[in-house]
Amino acid sequence: MLGITDLPTYLVGLVLIVLLPGPNSLYVLSVAARRGIRTGYRASAGVWCGDAVLMTLSAAGVASLLQANALLFGIVKYAGAGYLAWLAFGMLRTARDMWRSRREPGGTEEALSPAAEERPFRRALVISLFNPKAILFFVAFFVQFVDPGYAYPALSFVVLGVFAQLASFLYLSALIFGGTRLAAAFRRRRRLSAGATSAAGALFLGFAVKLSVSSSA
């Protein structure tokens, strides 16, 4: 179908990959828990736009350029790692304030409400775009299911990308609605809220380290 081979296997693999935790999904969950459903979808829109750009770049051959040019790959890699680390330290600072104010009336609500200029769409978009491994992944994964003899391989990439975006939409929607439930628990239990924010910051710092030591191979 449209130059795609073994579609059922692709869909199974896609579901397993989407379910793997990553900085994008963790950020969407965090935003939904702190800001609600509408803001959670704003962050998700940043993820989907970023993924769409990466898929387009992959199909256009940028992945091959990144793989062949170690300097370019390194620039994108360290820029992405630095941004993730910056987000991580911001979360850890927020968690510190939450631990300090957990016994004060209204302390958690203030700590859970960072400045309005957080701009979740932009943050999620940047997290997506500054991940060179994602571009390489899209090529390495998609190409396994594209018929080399098909006359319009770009169309095959588009169809595979649509399925990937649909899976991402369903998964992030589940995280968003789950995040709003977590928010209610966070407001009742300040220690839980501070602990969860600390864990999120530590995970983002781990993502930054993982990206910084990755290679294009």
Side-chain angles (χ1 to χ4, degrees), residues 85-98:
W86 179 72
L87 290 180
F89 286 120
M91 290 180 180
L92 292 173
R93 284 196 303 269
T94 299
R96 179 197 60 192
D97 295 339
M98 293 165 69

Side-chain angles (χ1 to χ4, degrees), residues 53-64:
V53 171
L54 295 184
M55 291 176 195
T56 302
L57 292 176
S58 299
V62 173
S64 299

Side-chain angles (χ1 to χ4, degrees), residues 21-26 80-81 84-85 200 202-212:
N24 284 335
S25 57
L26 181 61
L84 289 177
L203 282 173
F204 264 78
L205 195 57
F207 289 134
V209 173
K210 181 180 180 181
L211 178 58
S212 66

Side-chain angles (χ1 to χ4, degrees), residues 16 20-21 30 41 49 60 163 166:
L16 294 176
L20 290 174
S30 172
Y41 272 110
C49 288
F163 279 117
L166 178 60

Side-chain angles (χ1 to χ4, degrees), residues 121-140:
F121 174 86
R122 188 179 67 179
R123 283 198 174 185
L125 179 64
V126 173
I127 291 172
S128 294
L129 294 180
F130 280 92
N131 185 2
K133 297 293 285 187
I135 301 179
L136 301 180
F137 162 77
F138 282 128
V139 168

